[in-house]
Amino acid sequence: MGNRRIVIFLMCGIAVCLLLLWGVQRRVRFLPAQAKVKIVLFEQPLEAVDDVTIERGDTRIGLRKQGERWDMYAPFSARVDQGAVLRLLDAFESARVTDALSFQELRRRELSLREFGLNPAHTRVELNGPQQHDQLLFGAFSPLCSDIYVRMNQLDQVLVVPAGLYIQLPRTADDIRSRRLAHGDRTLIRSVELRAPGRPFIKLSKDTGTWRLVQPATAPASDAKVEALLDSLFAARVERFIWPTVSNVMDVAETESALKTRMSLYGFGADSGLQVQVQEAGVHAPAKIVFGRPMDSADELTYVLIQGADAIGAVSNAVTDAFRLLPSDLRDPRLFLEMPGSIRRLHVYFGDTLFVLSQTNAVWRLDAPVSDIADQ
């Protein structure tokens, strides 16, 4: 009998807990489905948006679209990850409103914006375009942390949207910056130059469809080795941003002399840095990346001056080592460079005996010392 009382007591406790959980969820479920004001956060596509501002506390991130490319203008100018910006806009465009509560309902329930984390809001997002201006204020998470409270365009209602939308927002400017060393069209590169202290200057050219070594001597280059070198350049990513970053925004507006001192400090001088320069077909200005000295605080990283010379980062030493090359590392090791299909006649001497082979319509014949069909 005692065990039965214990079981009944436990079942009653579970029932009370379920009722409490239901009550918490009811607080988030404000209006029935038929009374919701919106189903989606944005009823129109966001393809016309060309300016995005994100303010989170003291952090302000400004993104602007120029042509087909997004760039960052606040807290400093920098390239951004184009895919990250598109994913952010897609998250806003596809966000669904799971519930809504009007201000009238708030007053009836004796609730205020403060209880939803919206007075004041900790994060503000603006999406602007030629004929669009939308402002979203993000407040607190729902009790189960699956949703977040939002107020849009100062309307008299609180919206509930999935928390995944808020998670898509970059926390700092560095989170959305492009980490690529080189930009542009990889397939259009026609010239590569390597300058390193204590090593010969190397220049490669691809004017006739295949890579050739132009400096320090003229010779055929290995297409596979040069293409692999370019692949490693375009695949390399910055492991850590050094300058500018959110921690030293004031250093962006430094003088020219201070900038030169900074370049020397990181090992980007003409007599100390490893310079990689690539030239695209039809583009006047070449792209230059300079690898500097190793970082003192991280033995596995090396300073790098990213293309455009407007940012300094750090990359893995393996990336730098891939460009510490000699001309012999890029030369074509083959003795015979012609394609087999382009050969029409072949003379081979074995001692004093001459063998002559000829190719006609992709068929080889032996012409000397006897005339016959050759073993294809």
Side-chain angles (χ1 to χ4, degrees):
M1 193 70 180
N3 290 337
R4 171 180 262 180
R5 288 196 185 96
I6 293 175
V7 171
I8 294 174
F9 179 76
L10 290 175
M11 292 181 66
C12 292
I14 293 173
V16 171
C17 291
L18 290 174
L19 285 173
L20 289 175
L21 182 60
W22 177 81
V24 169
Q25 291 179 323
R26 285 288 297 169
R27 183 182 177 185
V28 191
R29 300 294 172 185
F30 304 126
L31 299 177
Q34 62 268 23
K36 289 180 184 177
V37 178
K38 307 174 69 173
I39 298 177
V40 293
L41 197 58
F42 289 92
E43 298 177 354
Q44 300 296 327
L46 299 180
E47 55 188 16
V49 171
D50 56 14
D51 190 282
V52 177
T53 302
I54 303 169
E55 293 184 1
R56 189 198 303 258
D58 295 333
T59 301
R60 179 174 179 268
I61 301 173
L63 307 173
R64 181 176 293 125
K65 187 178 183 181
Q66 297 178 329
E68 295 299 320
R69 195 183 82 184
W70 285 91
D71 288 302
M72 183 163 62
Y73 63 86
F76 46 78
S77 298
R79 289 179 177 268
V80 298
D81 184 338
Q82 304 298 307
V85 179
L86 294 179
R87 287 191 296 272
L88 176 63
L89 292 176
D90 183 67
F92 276 102
E93 190 172 305
S94 59
R96 302 184 67 84
V97 177
T98 59
D99 252 313
L101 179 66
S102 67
F103 277 21
Q104 182 180 0
E105 184 69 12
L106 279 177
R107 289 189 291 270
R108 189 180 70 81
R109 298 189 181 192
E110 298 182 351
L111 298 174
S112 67
L113 290 177
R114 183 180 297 275
E115 293 177 85
F116 296 93
L118 291 168
N119 187 22
H122 58 79
T123 301
R124 182 174 68 90
V125 177
E126 289 188 8
L127 304 176
N128 298 311
Q131 298 179 345
Q132 179 176 357
H133 177 76
D134 290 300
Q135 182 189 83
L136 297 98
L137 302 177
F138 287 84
F141 288 98
S142 64
L144 298 180
C145 296
S146 59
D147 297 301
I148 191 169
Y149 302 119
V150 173
R151 187 182 181 192
M152 184 173 180
N153 294 333
Q154 299 298 315
L155 297 177
D156 293 342
Q157 62 178 349
V158 175
L159 305 177
V160 183
V161 300
L165 175 62
Y166 181 75
I167 296 174
Q168 286 286 340
L169 299 178
R171 298 189 63 83
T172 69
D174 290 348
D175 291 342
I176 203 167
R177 293 174 69 178
S178 173
R179 293 181 176 270
R180 300 179 61 182
L181 298 188
H183 305 272
D185 193 335
R186 158 77 175 75
T187 63
L188 295 179
I189 294 179
R190 295 294 180 267
S191 175
V192 179
E193 296 182 5
L194 303 177
R195 301 174 185 269
R199 293 175 180 264
F201 167 61
I202 298 175
K203 183 175 182 179
L204 300 145
S205 178
K206 190 182 182 181
D207 295 330
T208 58
T210 59
W211 285 101
R212 291 189 60 82
L213 191 65
V214 179
Q215 291 285 346
T218 302
S222 169
D223 286 337
K225 293 180 179 179
V226 178
E227 295 297 334
L229 186 70
L230 291 174
D231 286 343
S232 64
L233 178 65
F234 277 80
R237 295 293 184 268
V238 173
E239 300 285 343
R240 187 185 306 176
F241 287 107
I242 306 300
W243 175 88
T245 64
V246 292
S247 61
N248 58 9
V249 175
M250 299 303 295
D251 293 344
V252 176
E254 59 189 3
T255 63
E256 184 176 352
S257 60
L259 184 60
K260 289 182 178 179
T261 302
R262 183 182 294 276
M263 296 297 106
S264 177
L265 176 65
Y266 294 122
F268 299 137
D271 56 348
S272 58
L274 168 58
Q275 300 180 26
V276 180
Q277 183 170 293
V278 294
Q279 177 78 55
E280 291 183 28
V283 178
H284 298 295
K288 181 189 291 186
I289 299 95
V290 184
F291 297 97
R293 63 177 183 81
M295 287 187 63
D296 295 332
S297 58
D299 295 337
E300 72 281 2
L301 298 178
T302 298
Y303 292 115
V304 62
L305 184 62
I306 302 170
Q307 177 182 337
D310 56 1
I312 298 172
V315 294
S316 167
N317 290 341
V319 176
T320 310
D321 294 341
F323 294 91
R324 299 189 186 279
L325 302 172
L326 296 172
S328 57
D329 297 325
L330 296 170
R331 291 192 63 169
D332 195 327
R334 295 177 298 170
L335 297 177
F336 193 71
L337 302 177
E338 299 296 333
M339 299 296 293
S342 66
I343 306 300
R344 294 290 176 263
R345 198 167 182 83
L346 179 64
H347 289 202
V348 180
Y349 283 92
F350 284 97
D352 295 332
T353 304
L354 172 64
F355 292 84
V356 179
L357 295 163
S358 62
Q359 179 182 212
T360 304
N361 296 328
V363 178
W364 284 95
R365 290 188 57 85
L366 181 65
D367 295 333
V370 296
S371 179
D372 198 355
I373 297 293
D375 186 349
Q376 304 302 310

